[in-house]
Amino acid sequence: MSAVCFFALFFASAAMICDLQTGRIPNSLILTGWGIGGVFGLVRTLNASGSLPMMFAGALLPLLITAPLFLMRMTGAGDSKLFSVIGIFCGPEVLKIMLASVVCGGLLSLLLMLSVTGVRERLLYFAHYVQTGGRERRTESGAGQPGIRAYRTGGAERPENMHFSVAVFMAAALYAGGVI
């Protein structure tokens, strides 16, 4: 296994474990990943087997791509930052991992809907969200105030709220195994 695959898999698995245990991906893990990734990128550049622009592209692309999803609260900031950490090691190939994560997440969501929440209920919820453009805000202090409403409902442990870090780990494993 290459060092790139090892680090991608290591940080994806550590983030998944933290997310499943606490419901969040700690910033200390992200900062550690960025630090190790920066040193790794510099060493690769000095050995002429990598380039700093590719490292920076790998780190910044995920943040730019996932920003709209984070603003609509469809994903957490930890997931975006995790992709950025993986991108430091993989460069622009992180886009493959991101795409595979979406596919894995879709499969996990379908399994979750079939077993827990019901497909019809979730599709109606999504259709209503899209139809309103997410413009309704439901807060305790001001129901119906204009603004972007979070897509996710309730707390992190509601049955329909899956831990996307599991899908990211699955995609990183596929990447490390050479499948994608």
Side-chain angles (χ1 to χ4, degrees):
M1 177 185 302
S2 72
V4 168
C5 292
F6 170 79
F7 283 118
L9 195 55
F10 174 80
F11 283 103
S13 62
M16 178 185 67
I17 291 168
C18 291
D19 191 19
L20 290 172
Q21 289 178 344
T22 66
R24 56 186 303 273
I25 299 171
N27 284 333
S28 58
L29 178 67
I30 300 300
L31 292 173
T32 301
W34 282 335
I36 292 172
V39 171
F40 181 77
L42 287 173
V43 169
R44 285 181 68 195
T45 300
L46 293 174
N47 291 335
S49 63
S51 72
L52 289 179
M54 290 299 164
M55 179 185 80
F56 286 120
L60 293 176
L61 278 172
L63 298 175
L64 295 173
I65 291 170
T66 60
L69 297 174
F70 172 71
L71 291 174
M72 292 185 292
R73 302 296 186 256
M74 292 177 132
T75 186
D79 299 320
S80 299
K81 294 183 283 187
L82 175 58
F83 280 131
S84 177
V85 167
I86 294 170
I88 285 179
F89 296 102
C90 300
E93 285 212 334
V94 71
L95 297 176
K96 291 180 183 179
I97 296 173
M98 292 175 72
L99 182 58
S101 295
V102 170
V103 172
C104 291
L107 292 173
L108 289 173
S109 293
L110 181 61
L111 290 173
L112 189 64
M113 283 190 290
L114 290 172
S115 64
V116 179
T117 61
V119 175
R120 184 177 188 280
E121 175 188 339
R122 293 311 300 168
L123 290 178
L124 287 173
Y125 180 84
F126 179 71
H128 180 264
Y129 186 86
V130 170
Q131 182 182 24
T132 62
R135 286 185 297 251
E136 297 176 21
R137 182 185 302 184
R138 295 183 182 155
T139 61
E140 293 177 17
S141 61
Q145 289 182 351
I148 295 177
R149 176 174 51 94
Y151 179 76
R152 293 178 56 175
T153 56
E157 295 307 315
R158 291 189 49 95
E160 66 269 12
N161 293 343
M162 69 170 236
H163 296 273
F164 192 68
S165 60
V166 175
V168 176
F169 169 75
M170 292 169 66
L174 291 171
Y175 181 78
V179 176
I180 57 169

